[in-house]
Amino acid sequence: MATEAEILKILAEERNMRKAAERLFLSQPALSQRLQSIEKEWGAQLFIRSQKGLTATPAGELVIAYAIDMLAKKEEIFETIQSLTTKVNGTLKIACASIVGQNWLPKILKDFVTKYPEAKISLMTGWSSEIVKALYEGEAHIGIVRGQVDWKGEKIHLFRDTLYLVDQELKTIEDVLTTNRPFIQFKSDSNYYQEIQQWWQRHFASNPRRQILVDQIETCKQMALNGIGYAILPSITLNEHDGINKIALTNNEKEFGLTRDTWLIGYESSFELRQVEAFVEVVQDHARCLFDYTK
């Protein structure tokens, strides 16, 4: 059924009851009755009827202008609603482990905002425990965490890092037994530090001769790159231009390299959001070609 605004707009355009009734798929008596009802609601005569047709009264001109504006606004809102289902809009709230935020995420965000310019991004970085807390408290839609994280919601594996012993001088794992160079370690709230401690205990009968403990993995890396000592770092922090020896850690008990996983986590309801779906797609595309340097 035609709305009040549609009736007034068409009457103003046609200025003829018969032609307006045809466009509205109404009989003339039905249209006349609708117009009377509209005029009663506004408390004013909106059209003057004559042999020449319909002429809007001053009150009618005001109401017709209002009706046309209302129809235009309705169409604008309708188009916006349609775009919400076909375009990526809204704010994407991401909580990301610092190491991933520094070394991997920027390229992904660049692709995301290029592909979906109407979306907005809110980003926080921190330790994995802080990422989980942000999800619990509703401060983020999705989180990117490292290592083994206890999470009962959606959990998508992104990639696995190999851990390397890096140093300017040492060339084999066994060299750490004879060097006086310090072992530079990064300590956080995650189990990364504990995993490396356990690996060391399985391979060596004594502690490193000298140790330096820092609280930022980037500090750890820069100290190793500048020849201060050796460190154990995940492959995500390293590239082929670092100019440093990289020795993969092996786990003799299980016969595979010591690794560290990165996960995308969140509640199921968040993954239903269009901006989250789009981001997950971009993230997984990057994760698939992470170690393919041709892409």
Side-chain angles (χ1 to χ4, degrees):
M1 181 182 291
T3 66
E4 173 184 316
E6 289 168 335
I7 289 172
L8 292 174
K9 181 175 180 290
I10 290 175
L11 283 170
E13 290 173 352
E14 297 294 342
R15 296 196 293 181
N16 181 283
M17 290 291 288
R18 179 182 60 80
K19 291 181 180 178
E22 288 176 356
R23 282 183 62 183
L24 292 164
F25 300 99
L26 294 170
S27 66
Q28 286 190 56
L31 177 56
S32 181
Q33 187 175 9
R34 290 288 301 276
L35 179 55
Q36 289 175 16
S37 176
I38 293 169
E39 289 179 325
K40 183 178 179 182
E41 182 180 344
W42 284 98
Q45 184 178 3
L46 304 181
F47 291 94
I48 296 173
R49 298 162 182 80
S50 68
Q51 290 182 346
K52 293 183 179 180
L54 300 173
T55 302
T57 65
E61 290 177 355
L62 291 173
V63 176
I64 290 165
Y66 168 76
I68 291 171
D69 285 346
M70 189 169 65
L71 288 171
K73 187 65 176 177
K74 178 182 177 182
E75 182 64 24
E76 182 183 328
I77 293 173
F78 180 77
E79 289 176 359
T80 301
I81 291 173
Q82 288 295 103
S83 73
L84 292 177
T85 60
T86 57
K87 296 180 181 179
V88 175
N89 294 271
T91 300
L92 172 67
K93 296 186 287 187
I94 308 168
C96 181
S98 296
I99 185 174
V100 180
Q102 291 171 353
N103 296 280
W104 191 60
L105 190 63
K107 293 179 181 178
I108 295 167
L109 293 182
K110 180 182 177 181
D111 282 359
F112 180 78
V113 298
T114 300
K115 193 172 183 180
Y116 306 108
E118 296 180 33
K120 299 179 180 65
I121 293 174
S122 170
L123 174 65
M124 65 159 286
T125 59
W127 289 337
S128 290
S129 63
E130 294 172 327
I131 306 311
V132 172
K133 183 173 181 284
L135 290 173
Y136 279 137
E137 295 180 354
E139 296 174 358
H141 293 132
I142 48 175
I144 298 177
V145 295
R146 301 272 290 171
Q148 297 303 313
V149 176
D150 185 20
W151 182 256
K152 303 302 181 185
E154 292 283 331
K155 189 175 182 180
I156 300 172
H157 185 261
L158 295 180
F159 57 87
R160 174 169 290 167
D161 280 306
T162 298
L163 296 187
Y164 289 91
L165 187 145
V166 297
D167 187 65
Q168 284 192 352
E169 297 181 10
L170 306 183
K171 295 182 179 179
T172 69
I173 294 293
E174 288 69 28
D175 287 345
V176 302
L177 296 173
T178 56
T179 185
N180 284 319
R181 298 170 65 73
F183 181 18
I184 306 163
Q185 298 187 71
F186 158 67
K187 189 171 185 179
S188 75
D189 69 333
S190 72
N191 58 0
Y192 174 80
Y193 179 76
Q194 286 75 23
E195 286 177 2
I196 292 175
Q197 296 296 305
Q198 291 168 6
W199 175 86
W200 184 280
Q201 291 168 9
R202 284 194 296 267
H203 285 77
F204 307 112
S206 60
N207 293 330
R209 293 184 183 182
R210 297 171 59 201
Q211 298 184 59
I212 298 175
L213 190 61
V214 299
D215 63 355
Q216 295 290 332
I217 199 163
E218 184 61 24
T219 304
C220 185
K221 175 185 174 180
Q222 291 303 321
M223 291 177 75
L225 291 180
N226 283 281
I228 296 171
Y230 62 93
I232 292 178
L233 298 170
S235 50
I236 190 175
T237 65
L238 304 170
N239 63 65
E240 54 192 6
H241 306 298
D242 284 335
I244 197 167
N245 297 328
K246 302 169 191 172
I247 309 160
L249 303 191
T250 56
N251 186 330
N252 293 332
E253 293 178 8
K254 298 181 180 178
E255 297 183 350
F256 58 74
L258 191 59
T259 59
R260 191 154 181 80
D261 292 302
T262 297
W263 305 84
L264 183 70
I265 63 174
Y267 289 108
E268 188 174 343
S269 57
S270 292
F271 279 86
E272 295 174 0
L273 296 172
R274 185 70 186 96
Q275 66 267 37
V276 174
E277 288 181 348
F279 180 74
V280 170
E281 184 179 322
V282 174
V283 165
Q284 290 183 313
D285 283 345
H286 275 260
R288 278 189 287 270
C289 63
L290 183 62
F291 297 110
D292 183 350
Y293 297 107
T294 65
K295 297 186 178 180

